[in-house]
Amino acid sequence: MSRREPLDRLYALVANEEDARTCRDISEEACREVPGNFFKIILANVLTKIGDLLINPKTVLAWLIGAVGAPGALAGLLVPIRESGSLIPQLAIGAWMRRHPVRKGFWVFGSVLQGACVLAMAAAVWWLQGLAAGLAIVGLLVVFSLGRGFCSVAMKDVQGKCIPKARRGRLTGLASTLSGAATLAVGVSLFGGDSEPGMLFYTVLLLAAGLAWWLAATVFSKVDEFHGETAGGGHALRQAFESLGLLVSDAPFRDFVIARALLMASALGSPFLVVLAQDRADGAALLGGFLVASSLASTVSASVWGYMADASSRQVMIRGGALAALVCLGVAAVALADPAWGGLTWFYPVAFFVLSIAHSGVRIGRKTYLVDMAGGTKRTDYTAVSNTVIGVLLLVLGGVSAAVSLLGAQWALLLLGAMGVLGTLWSWKLREVE
């Protein structure tokens, strides 16, 4: 029995079909390597998601900013920097990447860069204090986000070349389920006790996260990727800005970007649930409740969303968006009508759990839709353009929702709930691509 046979059988079980090698839109040589690539990509994803939990800007990094004595205002920069900092440069990254026939090296580079930045953060919080330590964390997070940008563009392209249609959604879903289970265990160990961990504990977490990204890079470097299409020469930035023309000339792609922008409500709503809860209770146990809720939601729902996305990623976007809108509007209504519900400490973690399920659906649905709607170099262009546009809009909408939240977090949730409704309706306009 060859070493590949167990992977082939396992892949056939996951694919749930008699001929697990049926390939619809990838080359024959790539088709032969699908089982091995499937599990290599999943393992790399799981490792990076564990790393993401260990340096979560809403929890670990925010705590470290205060622990090292840095100004609290720096903590407010962490989430926008990590998200927008990885999205906005992707237009240029994609233009550069599409000139190379094999692109897994870009993902490996991005993962190595992220790991190096996290290890440098560990050194910074151990050796520095006050403003210097805080600025070091923020500065390293900027570079870290650039590495995330490389990984984001390259992952969709490599996945599109190595994994056939009707299998990409379950790959993303299974990776999220496995990483959710792992992060759930980590979350319980972090916040299950009554005592607050010390600086050494958090420094070790950063070291472990950095090593997780480096191990992920090693695994991903083993993916068997074959040469694909490349675009012609030319200056990468000029090509990048020319790619923005897709928003004008490509109506289906433009509709997808609009739907994705409106469905950002599923991600932007989470912090305001935490704010509402913190106004009524505090402590590590409550923070642990949110972390566990997020991990548990990914564990129980991601694979289901993934299988559904292989049938219709458009329907997954619609259902996830509708659920997110319902949660945002429902929590806002409760907070406005009966503030006494704040005394029920379980209410907001449960709402956070449901919103996390919705966000998992939106994320898996739009990722699968984007990969399936285009092939060749157009897939790279679609990814880079949409991510760059979303990165800019994320800063704008994040600022608007933050301003509205000065009136109360519930009013920000009302705004985001309305966005979710519009995003759901706009997703209904999208064509099927599976």
Side-chain angles (χ1 to χ4, degrees):
M1 183 178 66
S2 69
R3 289 182 298 177
R4 291 181 51 170
E5 288 181 5
L7 277 182
D8 290 351
R9 290 199 298 270
L10 183 58
Y11 175 73
L13 180 64
V14 173
N16 193 30
E17 62 181 14
E18 294 182 2
D19 183 9
R21 293 186 183 278
T22 300
C23 300
R24 296 169 53 185
D25 63 337
I26 63 175
S27 67
E28 182 62 30
E29 57 182 357
C31 187
R32 289 192 295 268
E33 305 299 333
V34 165
N37 286 336
F38 187 87
F39 293 107
K40 290 172 188 174
I41 293 174
I42 282 180
L43 180 56
N45 271 326
V46 169
L47 288 167
T48 58
K49 288 181 183 297
I50 291 174
D52 277 329
L53 172 85
L54 298 180
I55 64 156
N56 191 321
K58 298 175 185 176
T59 54
V60 178
L61 292 187
W63 184 90
L64 283 175
I65 289 290
V68 298
L74 290 178
L77 301 176
L78 297 174
V79 173
I81 284 176
R82 194 187 72 156
E83 299 303 324
S84 296
S86 66
L87 292 175
I88 292 175
Q90 289 186 22
L91 199 60
I93 292 172
W96 178 25
M97 190 179 301
R98 68 181 183 178
R99 291 156 49 182
H100 296 75
V102 176
R103 294 156 186 171
K104 68 178 182 179
F106 287 91
W107 196 97
V108 172
F109 169 76
S111 189
V112 169
L113 182 60
Q114 290 175 86
C117 288
V118 175
L119 292 175
M121 286 182 192
V125 301
W126 188 254
W127 294 107
L128 301 176
Q129 285 291 321
L131 180 61
L135 291 177
I137 292 173
V138 171
L140 287 166
L141 190 62
V142 173
V143 183
F144 172 92
S145 299
L146 180 63
R148 280 173 60 91
F150 275 93
C151 289
S152 178
V153 177
M155 175 59 78
K156 293 181 178 65
D157 193 74
V158 173
Q159 183 177 319
K161 292 167 64 180
C162 297
I163 307 298
K165 276 189 176 183
R167 298 296 171 265
R168 296 163 185 160
R170 66 195 65 189
L171 182 151
T172 305
L174 185 57
S176 296
T177 294
L178 293 174
S179 61
T183 56
L184 177 62
V186 174
V188 170
S189 67
L190 278 177
F191 299 101
D194 295 328
S195 61
E196 183 73 15
M199 179 66 72
L200 176 61
F201 180 77
Y202 282 89
T203 303
V204 171
L205 284 185
L206 291 174
L207 292 173
L211 294 177
W213 265 290
W214 280 3
L215 183 56
T218 301
V219 172
F220 203 83
S221 69
K222 305 299 183 183
V223 169
D224 294 303
E225 180 193 1
F226 297 92
H227 284 211
E229 298 179 41
T230 60
H235 194 275
L237 280 178
R238 187 179 70 247
Q239 291 181 350
F241 286 108
E242 288 175 355
S243 297
L244 284 173
L246 288 170
L247 294 171
V248 178
S249 62
D250 193 328
F253 174 63
R254 181 174 63 248
D255 284 337
F256 166 77
V257 172
I258 293 173
R260 181 183 173 186
L262 293 169
L263 292 177
M264 285 193 298
S266 68
L268 293 174
S270 298
F272 297 111
L273 286 178
V274 176
V275 169
L276 283 174
Q278 287 175 334
D279 286 343
R280 293 154 176 81
D282 56 15
L286 181 61
L287 179 59
F290 283 111
L291 186 60
V292 168
S294 177
S295 300
L296 184 61
S298 179
T299 303
V300 302
S301 70
S303 287
V304 177
W305 286 125
Y307 276 82
M308 292 171 61
D310 285 334
S312 173
S313 53
R314 167 182 167 270
Q315 288 292 332
V316 169
M317 291 174 65
I318 292 171
R319 292 165 184 167
L323 184 58
L326 181 63
V327 173
C328 290
L329 294 175
V331 171
V334 168
L336 287 169
D338 189 3
W341 270 72
L344 302 176
T345 55
W346 56 265
F347 174 72
Y348 290 108
V350 169
F352 191 93
F353 171 75
V354 179
L355 183 59
S356 296
I357 290 178
H359 178 61
S360 179
V362 170
R363 184 177 56 82
I364 290 173
R366 55 98 171 160
K367 282 186 175 182
T368 306
Y369 192 94
L370 181 63
V371 173
D372 285 350
M373 76 185 297
T377 59
K378 183 172 285 190
R379 183 183 293 119
T380 305
D381 288 341
Y382 277 6
T383 301
V385 172
S386 64
N387 283 349
T388 300
V389 171
I390 293 300
V392 174
L393 291 179
L394 184 62
L395 288 176
V396 175
L397 293 174
V400 171
S401 60
V404 173
S405 71
L406 295 176
L407 303 175
Q410 58 269 39
W411 294 104
L413 285 172
L414 279 178
L415 170 65
L416 295 173
M419 277 180 54
V421 171
L422 291 176
T424 301
L425 295 175
W426 209 282
S427 298
W428 198 275
K429 296 175 53 180
L430 301 177
R431 62 181 177 87
E432 294 286 350
V433 295
E434 276 72 33

